[in-house]
Amino acid sequence: MKQRNNLIACRKWIAASFEWMENNLHKLEKLHGFSINLSGHSINEDSFLQFLLDKINQSSVSTEKICFEVTETATISNLNYAADFINEVKKLGCKFSLDDFGTGLASYEYLQKLPVDYLKIDGIFIKDIVTNANNYAMVKSINELGHFLGKETIAEYVENDEILEVLKEIGV
């Protein structure tokens, strides 16, 4: 029952997100993109892919502006299905981000198998990057690997100019 309620909530969130984008095309034009989180339950539910494809096809929003975020834990239950799901949505021009990268047990395996466009580095490594040499090294490593694999990197929890400057130095 809980999974069903989560799926219903996710579908409502998707519908609301597309409605907001449709009603704010002038604002959306000024943005690099619009990110929408997808739950693990929704990605692994058989009818959700068709629901999402229908929403995208019915929308006048430029698909290049849409980025769906999936977490590593959302893809664990069926990695091959998640990769197929991502590929189907990307065919329409949407982008994907692997959220909270670096905190999962098998991050690098996911990175190899999931056709995402962005790595969103978990904020746990970002919030004290200015003073924590270990986190600096982790972020630098993730960034270099991501760039080597043709992915762009994004950081969570960029809360001040000092953090922003360090991330720029690293190339995030």
Side-chain angles (χ1 to χ4, degrees):
M1 184 67 163
K2 184 177 178 182
Q3 283 183 322
R4 181 170 161 71
N5 289 339
N6 286 339
L7 184 60
I8 291 169
C10 187
R11 286 179 186 228
K12 285 181 181 178
W13 176 249
I14 297 292
S17 297
F18 273 89
E19 182 179 341
W20 185 91
M21 288 187 290
E22 290 280 346
N23 292 332
N24 293 279
L25 290 174
H26 62 287
K27 290 180 183 178
L28 192 59
E29 286 175 12
K30 297 175 186 174
L31 300 175
H32 176 71
F34 190 89
S35 292
I36 303 170
N37 285 315
L38 298 179
S39 73
H41 297 298
S42 61
I43 289 173
N44 292 303
E45 201 274 327
D46 291 334
S47 67
F48 184 74
L49 176 60
Q50 191 58 54
F51 165 80
L52 188 59
L53 294 174
D54 290 345
K55 278 289 175 199
I56 295 167
N57 285 321
Q58 293 166 2
S59 175
S60 64
V61 174
S62 173
T63 54
E64 296 83 31
K65 292 283 189 176
I66 302 170
C67 181
F68 293 103
E69 294 186 8
V70 295
T71 61
E72 294 179 46
T73 53
T75 62
I76 286 173
S77 65
N78 191 338
L79 197 54
N80 290 331
Y81 183 80
D84 291 342
F85 180 100
I86 291 169
N87 277 321
E88 284 301 310
V89 177
K90 284 182 67 167
K91 286 178 184 176
L92 298 179
C94 297
K95 303 272 191 225
F96 271 82
S97 174
L98 186 55
D99 197 9
D100 298 334
F101 186 79
T103 56
L105 296 175
S107 295
Y108 295 110
E109 178 185 359
Y110 302 143
L111 186 55
Q112 287 182 318
K113 293 187 178 179
L114 295 175
V116 297
D117 303 286
Y118 306 101
L119 296 182
K120 194 168 177 188
I121 303 170
D122 193 276
I124 196 164
F125 301 115
I126 305 299
K127 63 184 177 182
D128 65 351
I129 193 171
V130 174
T131 58
N132 185 319
N134 291 336
N135 284 349
Y136 180 95
M138 291 292 293
V139 170
K140 186 173 182 190
S141 173
I142 292 168
N143 183 65
E144 288 173 355
L145 179 61
H147 287 182
F148 177 80
L149 295 172
K151 318 273 185 223
E152 290 186 49
T153 51
I154 301 169
E156 294 182 325
Y157 296 101
V158 181
E159 297 177 342
N160 59 52
D161 289 336
E162 273 186 303
I163 293 172
L164 181 61
E165 287 306 312
V166 169
L167 292 170
K168 283 181 181 179
E169 171 189 309
I170 292 173
V172 175

